[in-house]
Amino acid sequence: METPSHAHVRDPEEWAAVFKTLGDPTRLSLLNAIHGAGNNQLGVTELAHRTGTRVATTSAALRAMEKMGTVRSVREGRGIYYGIADERIHRLLHWAADQQ
């Protein structure tokens, strides 16, 4: 009897970083809020308000995620707005939403 072939993760360390990001409740809440905004990018204050986290906590989490390449920022005037940069995160958030 043949053993079924299964797809293998190509870069386990890279995927571990993605799941580490999603495993943090604050980061996941922020990503969910950004994702829920659709094409509208959100600033730190709005994200803090939507997720119920402090502005300082929100800002630190966004900086960390930007450094990891999970989110991207765009400066418009005095504001900095965030969107999801990693397509894998985008797809995983869609998948998670479909599981509920």
Side-chain angles (χ1 to χ4, degrees), residues 2-72:
E2 286 188 38
T3 305
S5 69
H6 297 282
H8 294 280
V9 174
R10 290 190 181 143
D11 188 349
E13 289 193 23
E14 189 175 316
W15 276 100
V18 170
F19 286 113
K20 181 178 179 182
T21 298
L22 293 174
D24 179 87
T26 299
R27 291 177 184 173
L28 182 55
S29 293
L30 291 168
L31 289 168
N32 196 42
I34 293 168
H35 187 256
N39 291 332
N40 300 319
Q41 296 182 355
L42 301 174
V44 174
T45 305
E46 179 64 21
L47 284 165
H49 176 73
R50 289 187 183 197
T51 60
T53 57
R54 294 180 0 196
V55 171
T57 303
T58 300
S59 182
L62 289 167
R63 275 193 313 272
M65 289 192 291
E66 186 172 24
K67 187 176 179 179
M68 292 184 291
T70 305
V71 298
R72 65 180 166 350

Side-chain angles (χ1 to χ4, degrees), residues 22 28-29 31-33 35 91-100:
L22 293 174
L28 182 55
S29 293
L31 289 168
N32 196 42
H35 187 256
R91 288 192 312 263
L92 286 168
L93 289 170
H94 274 284
W95 176 85
D98 289 343
Q99 301 309 304
Q100 297 179 17

